[in-house]
Amino acid sequence: MTAWSGTFSPTLERLVGESEGESEGESQGPDAALVRRILAGDAQAFATLVARFGGTVFSVGVRMLGNRAEAEDLSQDVFLKVHQKLRSFDVRLPLAPWIRRIASNETLNRLRGRRADRPRLAPEDVEAPDPGPAADAALEAKRRADRVACALATLPENQRLVVTLKYVESLTAEEIGAALGVPRNTVKTWLFRAKESLRRALADDV
Amino acid sequence: MTCDDAFPLLLERVDGEPPDRDRARLDEHLRVCEVCRARLAALREDERVLADAIPVSPPRGFERSLAATVWERAQGIERQRGLDRRLWTLVAAASCMAVAVALALGFEPALDAWKPVARALDALPAPAELVESLLRGLESLPVIPESVPMGRVSTAWLAAGAAAACAQLLLARRLLTRRGAR
């Protein structure tokens, strides 16, 4: 993805001053208006941004860190960083890859900070998807989610992160590569290995 | 196409990775190979299981409370930064003024405010002699004036210089504060 190429970026510091009253030009990305409102101090606009990406960041946090409380802390840190760095955001680009990258870096930093520990994934930390009408199906879904979560916790960090990004956000290898700053083929290799391990773990449990 | 050739293509197809290379050849292989059809079905089922199991739902109202908490924290940090900026501006302005006043008083011949300092320095022979010998040693130098005519340095010029520095500092700080608040 070219989103992270080191080209000259029209940051908001310039654009806020220059484009007052100017129509949405073709150089403006899809999220430029939202970003501008946040920088102007609009709390509601910030709430919109958090509503769009908060669930994803939380989900990645739970799967990577292994517990919900820490995922909530992580979400706070990620969005605080987003708020603080928003001024340097290149408004020609969409927000999602940029926020994904911040979230990935924050997650990996946290994991590095507690390198000695293994991820602590308590069964109660795993929440099954909406159970639907059938209780048996819900129970089975919950059990399966627990199994997946436990298998996920045994993966190396890089594999766990790519597989989480893939299934939480349905991202392609290209997009995951952009978020992590690694080539697409590396992502594909990590994904392949991660899925092999998960399949094996699921097959062993059945 | 062999089953070994087909396997990486099956993985790509399951991942939905464009472009689906050799699509026609893979379709042809799948039409005749039951093993690969079963493999593809198993891969799709695994995919479905993972896609259902990995995402985690946040608690109810999580995004709203997260936005409120982060916004509050961010505003607090901004306020603190604003206070710090103002404090440093004041300190810098006060320092500039102090320097300007000291220079103005010191170079004003009528006040002779630095005379005691000069006298005290004169009382210390060693550094003065050292400087003198050093200066004498530099033969290439032209005639050294007996006394530097510091009194001629205009008090007004010094004060104006200090005030300009001060104003520049204040202006820079104000611009920074404005950009930070925008």
Side-chain angles (χ1 to χ4, degrees):
Chain A
M1 195 182 247
T2 54
W4 302 104
S5 59
T7 52
F8 171 73
S9 66
T11 60
L12 269 226
E13 280 164 325
R14 264 179 61 231
L15 289 172
V16 162
E18 288 173 4
S19 62
E20 288 299 335
E22 185 182 289
S23 64
E24 290 293 310
E26 55 191 337
S27 63
Q28 305 272 307
D31 301 311
L34 181 69
V35 173
R36 191 178 297 115
R37 280 172 54 207
I38 296 171
L39 287 175
D42 184 343
Q44 193 52 48
F46 186 69
T48 305
L49 181 139
V50 175
R52 260 172 70 189
F53 301 107
T56 302
V57 172
F58 176 80
S59 211
V60 171
V62 172
R63 290 307 181 205
M64 290 303 294
L65 302 170
N67 72 74
R68 300 173 78 91
E70 219 175 328
E72 287 182 23
D73 278 356
L74 172 82
S75 306
Q76 277 198 26
D77 289 351
V78 166
F79 283 101
L80 190 62
K81 195 155 263 184
V82 165
H83 185 277
Q84 287 174 336
K85 289 185 164 184
L86 208 55
R87 202 166 290 284
S88 62
F89 171 68
D90 183 344
V91 290
R92 289 175 306 182
L93 304 173
L95 269 171
W98 185 70
I99 292 180
R100 227 176 264 142
R101 184 159 217 178
I102 291 176
S104 302
N105 288 340
E106 277 294 303
T107 308
L108 291 174
N109 284 343
R110 270 185 183 243
L111 284 170
R112 280 183 203 116
R114 60 169 215 206
R115 183 73 81 184
D117 301 342
R118 293 297 300 162
R120 303 176 295 277
L121 197 71
E124 64 270 18
D125 284 337
V126 180
E127 192 172 290
D130 187 1
D136 281 354
L139 202 63
E140 178 50 31
K142 167 100 174 92
R143 260 203 297 264
R144 207 184 291 139
D146 283 355
R147 281 205 305 271
V148 170
C150 290
L152 201 57
T154 63
L155 295 178
E157 281 164 16
N158 52 7
Q159 292 182 23
R160 202 167 355 132
L161 188 53
V162 294
V163 93
T164 304
L165 284 172
K166 175 169 173 55
Y167 291 106
V168 169
E169 284 207 82
S170 308
L171 299 180
T172 62
E174 188 89 32
E175 290 166 329
I176 297 171
L180 303 182
V182 293
R184 174 177 178 266
N185 283 341
T186 307
V187 172
K188 288 183 87 170
T189 307
W190 289 349
L191 260 179
F192 176 74
R193 287 185 189 150
K195 285 207 268 184
E196 279 298 296
S197 307
L198 290 175
R199 280 190 199 110
R200 225 176 296 126
L202 287 173
D204 289 349
D205 271 1
V206 171
Chain B
M1 180 182 276
T2 65
C3 294
D4 284 346
D5 294 335
F7 186 62
L9 299 176
L10 291 180
L11 290 175
E12 282 194 7
R13 180 164 289 191
V14 166
D15 275 342
E17 287 286 340
D20 197 347
R21 289 184 289 122
D22 300 322
R23 168 186 277 270
R25 284 178 63 218
L26 179 63
D27 286 343
E28 179 57 29
H29 178 76
L30 284 171
R31 203 173 57 76
V32 295
C33 179
E34 200 174 324
V35 175
C36 283
R37 276 204 304 274
R39 199 179 254 177
L40 180 62
L43 286 172
R44 284 194 167 135
E45 174 59 14
D46 287 346
E47 204 68 11
R48 194 186 60 75
V49 168
L50 294 177
D52 280 350
I54 290 179
V56 183
S57 309
R60 195 182 294 276
F62 169 72
E63 285 93 344
R64 206 173 333 114
S65 70
L66 175 66
T69 309
V70 173
W71 186 259
E72 194 56 42
R73 277 178 69 187
Q75 297 307 305
I77 290 170
E78 282 293 311
R79 270 195 298 274
Q80 189 55 48
R81 278 191 188 150
L83 283 175
D84 289 350
R85 266 193 290 262
R86 258 170 247 137
L87 181 68
W88 280 110
T89 305
L90 278 174
V91 168
S95 310
C96 284
M97 288 311 293
V99 169
V101 168
L103 287 173
L105 291 176
F107 288 114
E108 180 57 62
L111 293 175
D112 282 340
W114 282 11
K115 229 172 193 172
V117 180
R119 250 186 253 120
L121 285 174
D122 281 347
L124 301 169
E129 279 167 15
L130 183 68
V131 171
E132 213 168 310
S133 64
L134 275 172
L135 290 175
R136 279 200 196 105
L138 298 169
E139 292 175 354
S140 59
L141 271 179
V143 179
I144 303 165
E146 282 179 12
S147 63
V148 182
M150 296 302 274
R152 288 185 207 160
V153 181
S154 156
T155 302
W157 274 111
L158 284 167
C166 210
Q168 212 170 3
L169 203 71
L170 281 168
L171 190 65
R173 277 334 216 166
R174 176 162 291 195
L175 284 176
L176 275 176
T177 313
R178 269 195 199 156
R179 277 168 64 168
R182 209 161 53 190

